[in-house]
Amino acid sequence: MNAQDLKNSILQLAVQGKLVEQRAEEGTARELLEQIKLEKDQLIKDKKIKKSKPLPEITEDEIPFEIPESWEWVRVGEIGSLTRGSGIKRTEVIEDGYPCIRYGELYTTYRTKFEKTVSFVTKELFDKCHKIHTGDVAMTLTGENKTDIAMAVTYEGKDTIAMGGDMTCWSHHMMNPLYLVYFINSPYAISCKRNLATGDIIIHISNDKLATILMPVPPLEEQHRIVAKIEEILPYIEQYDKAYTKLETFNKKFPEDMKKSILQLAMQGKLVEQRPEEGTADEQCEQIVAEKAQLIKDGKIKKEKPLPEITEDEIPFEIPASWKWVRLSAICEKIGSGSTPTGGKNVYQDDGILFLRSQNVYNDGLRFDGIAFISEELNRPNSVVVAKDILLNITGGSIGRCALVPDDFDKANINQHVMIIRLVNLDLRFWVHFVIISAYIQQKIMDVQVGVSREGLSAEKLKNFIIPLPPLAEQKRIVAKIEELLPYCDQLIKC
């Protein structure tokens, strides 16, 4: 899936009411449409817009997909007014004067929204032209292919601008103009426009035909939220696009590539902003050192050998000043693998103590297909997994897969192919899990395997891995942002 396909998927989700949740307190589209009709009738009465031609009733057979109950289907012509522009020749454009927009510039210069024009005309010509005002939506009526016909942008500038020919202005709509733009540029609307456009070499579409297109209308507040969500996602799509052009051969690995990009941004402190009031990772590390010292004093864990200082050569990338590079062992009370009881599979039974193996450990959690059990007598204290642990596969083809143990988990044993990572401060586990499954740590895991036979990752090597540590409050914000974005990667690939 390329970046345009990804954007199209986002827009299609948006117009189907699947991008944001519906909220009862925001009212219904029917209420909005009643206001629009009253406003339109008044504008016609005041002779500010012309009365449009009657549009056919919407039939059940025409409706292309289901929309939320609070939404309504309408024809484009029922919303505001469509006004065709006046001809502005290329030879009439000057370097400085009164702002204007020509239809070809929608294809070459403007995308989605704009505030300033690149073209100008004399006052005499400006006065003769139809105008575009703040919040109006401009669409092309002529083009070179049916896919791009009636491409839409909204004007967000303050000055009135002149509108050239072969384009139309959608005004007095009382809608969020960016919702209209995203709708017109959505795959559904593009399909409608393709069916209505005429011509082979030069493609045309008219206002009358545009007016017949069925449009799903959400309540106004939901329109604002849809637009905000799209605007939030688009920068990530742009970043993906840059990576995609360089790594086109990896197309089929999407959404995994997108996930990697998101996680890498997170590792480098570029996914959310830093906030001074959230403190520093140094303060957090001091608390962990104190807690770990208390655990040692209480005899709950053994004192470890001092960890080597982190050198400049080890640091793979820059992180924010409030962050800190730490060795994984410094924030853990346990890093160690399990063991398989003597007898191997022959000691498995139908019930008893849950026995987890690498086949049960996945990045999205534990899976219990083909689960094994062992007897109470075979329980090994060093192999016991408890709630809120992190499990990491350390051998074989699944090396690097990492799972969070659920909060309501009782206990289990693990075999020698799985490592237990138990943090001093359990609130760090969500961040550490994302660090481990990031491309940065996954590559380190592959790099430190022993020999060409890939004998696996040892506890000693894992303990010395360095990881970036943000302040805890920022960790929580990063984790929340990752959890918000990653589902889109999985969802969009299915669209």
Side-chain angles (χ1 to χ4, degrees), residues 326-346:
V326 298
R327 296 201 185 276
L328 183 58
S329 183
I331 59 174
C332 294
E333 66 172 70
K334 176 182 176 65
I335 295 179
S337 60
S339 61
T340 299
T342 302
K345 293 182 179 180
N346 293 328

Side-chain angles (χ1 to χ4, degrees), residues 175-189:
M175 304 265 282
N176 184 307
L178 278 172
Y179 175 78
L180 296 181
V181 169
Y182 289 130
F183 161 71
I184 287 293
N185 295 335
S186 70
Y188 158 68

Side-chain angles (χ1 to χ4, degrees), residues 249-266:
T249 55
F250 293 99
N251 283 349
K252 294 181 181 179
K253 293 195 294 183
F254 186 86
E256 196 57 40
D257 287 347
M258 189 64 164
K259 291 180 180 178
K260 288 179 181 179
S261 295
I262 291 170
L263 291 177
Q264 188 59 30
L265 288 171

Side-chain angles (χ1 to χ4, degrees), residues 267-268 317 319 323-326 431 435 440 466-470:
M267 297 306 103
Q268 294 178 274
F317 48 79
I319 55 175
W323 292 30
K324 183 181 179 67
W325 285 103
V326 298
W431 167 254
V435 172
Y440 159 61
I466 64 169
I467 67 168
L469 192 69

